[in-house]
Every structure is written in C-alpha cells, then in structure tokens.
Amino acid sequence: MTSHIDTLVQQLDGKADESYDARAELIWIGADAIPAVINGLPSLGGFGQLTAIEVFEEVGDPRCGPALIGLLDSDNPTVREWAAMALAGLEIDGAIEPLRRAYRALERATPPDWTESVGLRWALTELGARTPVIPPLTAHLRAATADDAAGWPSARFTEIINDLADHAQVILYSQFWQVDAGRTYGVSDPGLDWELDWSAPWEHLVEKSRTWSLLEASEAPVGDNTFVVPTCIDRTDLYPDK
C-alpha cells in the first residue's frame, strides 16, 4: 500500500501548485520523509528531482548525500548543477571527489561560464577543494557590502580588471550591486555580452576578457555605494588535470 509520504513524493513531479504543496508538506514532515524521497528519486523526472533537491536542502538531513552524489551522473545538466550545490550547502562528507569527477566530465565542450560549470566550481570552493586566486592588489581593494558578501568598489573596477588579468585570470562576467539602507540590490550592468573562444590559448583568453571587461568598466555604474563582483577562473579551472 502506498503511504501518504510516497504519494507526496510522486506529486513532486506534478503541476506547479501540486508540486509546491507536496514540497511544503515534505519539508514540514522533515527527517521522517527523507527515506521516501530518496527511494522515489529515480522515478521522478527532471522537475521532480529538482524539487526533491530543494526538500533535501530545506530539511538538511545528511542521509541524502549518496542520492545527491548519484544525481551528478544525471542526463539533465540543471539536476547535476543543483545536486552539486546542495552537496556543498549541506557539507556532505565524501562529496569532493565525485564533484571533481563531475567537473572533469564537462571537458571543454561545456564553457566555464555556463551555469553548471559555475555551480560545480562554487561547490568545490565551498568545500575547500578549490582556492580562487585573488592577487594582492585586488585583495587589498576588497570591501564588505551590507550583507558581508565580497565586493569591490566599482570606481576601482579598471584597476581590478588589470590586476586579475596580469595574474593570468580570465574574467567570465561581472555583477554590480548597490547598498542602500543596509540592504543590497542588483544594479543593471552595461549589457555587454561577449563570448570567448575556449579553444584559444590561455593567454589569448586572458587578454580578450581584459579587453571586454575594460570596455564594460568604461560604462559601468559608479557610486560610493556601488560594488562590483567579477567572476574569474584560473588556468587550472579549464585544465583541471594539469
């Protein structure tokens, strides 16, 4: 006989309202629901699995670790990305090597600025398996935004770009934030959209990203309460086995 919890798990794959209600009830049930969610995971489609990952994150039960590691082999890149980030957020023991394998599996067919690549690098960084390179000048210019997130004064953006490029960092993109009354808000960027040829030599990628980023800096929002957060990668992020 199918239990009520098993029914809720299958409803995670239902229409939006049904899935949302099932998710909320499973979270409310808490740890007692986790075994059923784990067992039902293979029968769910991509949407249901993503919702199940949200349940795992909200409940915070480490028993979901092996199931999340298994999802790193999913055919759905969004499921892989969310599973990776959940593994880091829940600090699951034994997740580092599976995450490294998942990142290597992307190879160069998946550009490092795609969300799955970004998510996997974030997970590895959070678990202490990846250390972002922050040159001395950039580290010195770092400021603390209202919510203690890392940020740099947008007025110093040009210096930061050159410092990162001079230390062989490729800038993938940058985000701008404004602090007002103790809260942080996203600010529209100049809207430049560039693509890099990832088959090019690393030095070419560094200089190309410098050129585009400097152009972005020339049009970027500037103010005492405006901050920029560039996202960069090191050579080893593109060539993890070298």
Side-chain angles (χ1 to χ4, degrees):
M1 181 179 296
T2 302
S3 72
H4 177 59
I5 294 178
D6 291 331
T7 299
L8 291 173
V9 173
Q10 294 307 310
Q11 289 174 348
L12 294 176
D13 243 346
K15 294 182 179 179
D17 288 346
E18 180 184 49
S19 177
Y20 180 84
D21 289 344
R23 169 188 177 277
E25 188 169 351
L26 287 167
I27 292 170
W28 179 81
I29 293 170
D32 289 342
I34 294 302
V37 180
I38 292 172
N39 291 336
L41 204 58
S43 67
L44 298 176
F47 179 74
Q49 290 183 341
L50 292 173
T51 312
I53 292 171
E54 292 180 322
V55 174
F56 291 151
E57 290 179 307
E58 290 294 329
V59 176
D61 191 320
R63 289 178 297 173
C64 69
L68 287 170
I69 289 172
L71 289 179
L72 294 177
D73 292 325
S74 169
D75 292 333
N76 186 319
T78 307
V79 169
R80 296 194 300 264
E81 175 192 346
W82 285 31
M85 298 179 73
L87 285 165
L90 296 172
E91 299 181 348
I92 298 298
D93 291 338
I96 290 176
E97 284 309 313
L99 285 167
R100 282 177 171 155
R101 288 196 297 270
Y103 190 73
R104 288 194 294 267
L106 294 179
E107 297 181 341
R108 299 183 72 179
T110 303
D113 54 352
W114 285 20
T115 59
E116 183 182 3
S117 302
V118 172
L120 282 164
R121 284 196 304 274
W122 178 87
L124 288 166
T125 303
E126 287 295 300
L127 291 174
R130 173 182 177 270
T131 302
V133 175
I134 303 179
L137 176 60
T138 299
H140 175 71
L141 293 175
R142 186 198 299 265
T145 57
D147 57 0
D148 293 327
W152 287 263
S154 62
R156 311 295 294 271
F157 191 24
T158 295
E159 296 170 76
I160 294 165
I161 292 167
N162 285 320
D163 189 40
L164 291 168
D166 287 346
H167 287 81
Q169 300 296 291
V170 170
I171 302 172
L172 300 178
Y173 55 85
S174 299
Q175 295 171 297
F176 296 86
W177 305 90
Q178 187 172 63
V179 178
D180 184 25
R183 300 185 65 183
T184 303
Y185 302 88
V187 179
S188 297
D189 59 40
L192 300 181
D193 185 18
W194 70 81
E195 292 186 8
L196 298 174
D197 177 5
W198 296 106
S199 65
W202 184 256
E203 294 75 13
H204 173 85
L205 295 170
V206 170
E207 292 308 317
K208 201 71 174 178
S209 75
R210 186 204 301 258
T211 299
W212 277 105
S213 294
L214 288 173
L215 180 58
E216 185 175 47
S218 70
E219 303 177 17
V222 177
D224 291 341
N225 297 322
T226 305
F227 300 86
V228 61
V229 181
T231 294
C232 307
I233 60 171
D234 186 66
R235 183 184 182 92
T236 55
D237 288 315
L238 193 61
Y239 305 95
D241 295 321
K242 296 183 180 180

